Amino acid sequence: MSLISTDKAKLDRLAELTAKTETSSGAGLWREALKRLRGSKMALIGAAIIAVFVVVAVVGPWLAPYGPTDQTWRGEVFPNQGKFVGPRADNWFGLDHLGRDTFSRFLEGARQTLLVGVVSMLIGLVLGALVGALSGACATLGGRAGRRIDDVIMRVTDILLALPSLLLAVSVAAVLGQSLTTVMIAVGVVQIPVFARLLRGSMLAQGGTDYVLAARSLGIRKRRIVLTQILPNSLSPVIVQATLSLATAIIEAAALSYLGLGNPDPAVPEWGVMLSQAQRFFDNAPMMSVFPAVGIIITALGFTLLGEAMREALDPKLRG
């Protein structure tokens, strides 16, 4: 009995050392990636754009010179006659057809756009990671029954991936009804199969590595192998995809708002809603659509640049 206990203690110690080695190597990977990001112009430009966007979204409403629904200028109520006022000293982006300050609405709309993008990305990330982790665990260490569960999950995921993302988002939004929460849920649902497929593939790649085979030969429980070794080392591509998905989420959320599926209150500024309202007056006042469109494009560009830089920094094939 003492000999068996001694052998078991040695195996547990060896398993702990294996886990620590993998953890330290993972930390080293992230330190190296951060060092590469600091030297990447693409990452710095993307981070600068995102920083400006976040600052505008957080403190913009307090920096706005006027309220987003104010229609009074120089003591007089602006007449609702579809007239427009171009950029001037009092109103940097001019006034819209209702006499509201476009610059103030642009700053307030940045907060709504950031809220929709982040929440929808988190919905897709959390639910997609749960589905992908379950599927990857079943496929890696679940045996025959686990592989059957993995097949069912992946077939459903493939069906969702086969549908155009915007069409799927519109369908979900149409079922749930018109609201800002609906936009978040609809865009988040579109992201679920992307994260699920990505995490599952990463876990399958990690399942065949030497440290997993060593852990299995030591008799470590499958659940512990998945939770402490395979899953933590499979999250790098998912984190990169989350950054890229923010850009996609902002564009798709703006598209849903543009189609009239967003916030039912048109007085609440949001870049997609502002773009939709400006469509009717594009011939007379094209600048109304330029400002929200440029905001959406530049913000999406910032997240895309940072995401691509992170992907290159974490890709072992691209590291020197």
Side-chain angles (χ1 to χ4, degrees), residues 67-73 76-85 88 91 94-102 105 265-269 273-274 277-278 280-281 285 288:
T69 59
D70 291 349
Q71 296 177 275
T72 302
W73 308 103
E76 298 181 358
V77 178
F78 189 85
N80 182 12
Q81 299 178 357
K83 298 180 180 179
F84 301 91
V85 176
R88 59 183 185 179
N91 312 101
L95 303 178
D96 65 3
H97 62 293
L98 297 178
R100 300 172 298 191
D101 182 58
T102 305
R105 292 178 62 80
D265 185 4
V268 178
V273 175
M274 294 174 63
Q277 294 174 349
R280 297 178 296 165
F281 311 102
M288 280 186 62

Side-chain angles (χ1 to χ4, degrees), residues 7-16 18 141 210-226 228-229:
D7 292 340
K8 184 177 180 181
K10 291 181 179 180
L11 292 177
D12 291 340
R13 179 58 179 169
L14 183 57
E16 292 178 1
T18 303
L141 301 172
D210 294 338
Y211 70 88
V212 173
L213 296 177
R216 295 181 64 181
S217 65
L218 292 175
I220 301 177
R221 292 182 178 181
K222 296 180 179 180
R223 181 183 302 177
R224 184 180 177 186
I225 295 175
V226 171
T228 63
Q229 299 189 40

Side-chain angles (χ1 to χ4, degrees), residues 155-240:
R155 296 300 77 77
V156 175
T157 302
D158 291 340
I159 293 174
L160 295 177
L161 287 174
L163 298 174
S165 59
L166 184 58
L167 178 60
L168 179 58
V170 170
S171 301
V172 175
V175 171
L176 297 179
Q178 183 183 10
S179 69
L180 191 62
T181 303
T182 295
V183 173
M184 298 177 187
I185 296 175
V187 177
V189 169
V190 173
Q191 304 290 342
I192 291 176
V194 178
F195 286 109
R197 171 64 75 173
L198 184 62
L199 182 56
R200 173 188 177 271
S202 182
M203 291 182 67
L204 290 179
Q206 292 292 329
T209 55
D210 294 338
Y211 70 88
V212 173
L213 296 177
R216 295 181 64 181
S217 65
L218 292 175
I220 301 177
R221 292 182 178 181
K222 296 180 179 180
R223 181 183 302 177
R224 184 180 177 186
I225 295 175
V226 171
L227 295 179
T228 63
Q229 299 189 40
I230 296 179
L231 185 58
N233 288 283
S234 304
L235 294 178
S236 298
V238 178
I239 295 175
V240 174

Side-chain angles (χ1 to χ4, degrees), residues 1-12:
M1 293 296 294
S2 60
L3 181 59
I4 295 176
S5 301
T6 303
D7 292 340
K8 184 177 180 181
K10 291 181 179 180
L11 292 177
D12 291 340

Side-chain angles (χ1 to χ4, degrees), residues 16-186:
E16 292 178 1
L17 292 175
T18 303
K20 290 180 180 179
T21 301
E22 293 301 327
T23 303
S24 62
S25 63
L29 173 62
W30 282 103
R31 283 195 297 267
E32 182 183 352
L34 181 60
K35 183 178 180 181
R36 289 169 59 85
L37 284 176
R38 292 175 180 174
S40 172
K41 294 182 179 180
M42 183 168 60
L44 295 178
I45 294 174
I49 294 174
I50 294 173
V52 172
F53 172 61
V54 172
V55 170
V56 170
V58 174
V59 305
W62 287 277
L63 298 178
Y66 310 100
T69 59
D70 291 349
Q71 296 177 275
T72 302
W73 308 103
R74 298 185 179 92
E76 298 181 358
V77 178
F78 189 85
N80 182 12
Q81 299 178 357
K83 298 180 180 179
F84 301 91
V85 176
R88 59 183 185 179
D90 294 337
N91 312 101
W92 293 356
F93 290 178
L95 303 178
D96 65 3
H97 62 293
L98 297 178
R100 300 172 298 191
D101 182 58
T102 305
F103 179 68
S104 300
R105 292 178 62 80
F106 179 85
L107 295 180
E108 181 69 27
R111 169 179 289 186
Q112 298 293 326
T113 302
L114 177 63
L115 176 65
V116 173
V118 171
V119 173
S120 58
M121 184 274 295
L122 289 177
I123 292 175
L125 174 61
V126 173
L127 297 181
L130 290 176
V131 174
L134 175 61
S135 179
C138 292
T140 305
L141 301 172
R144 181 178 299 178
R147 287 192 291 270
R148 291 179 180 176
I149 297 175
D150 171 62
D151 288 337
V152 173
I153 295 175
M154 284 300 101
R155 296 300 77 77
V156 175
T157 302
D158 291 340
I159 293 174
L160 295 177
L161 287 174
L163 298 174
S165 59
L166 184 58
L167 178 60
L168 179 58
V170 170
S171 301
V172 175
V175 171
L176 297 179
Q178 183 183 10
S179 69
L180 191 62
T181 303
T182 295
V183 173
M184 298 177 187
I185 296 175

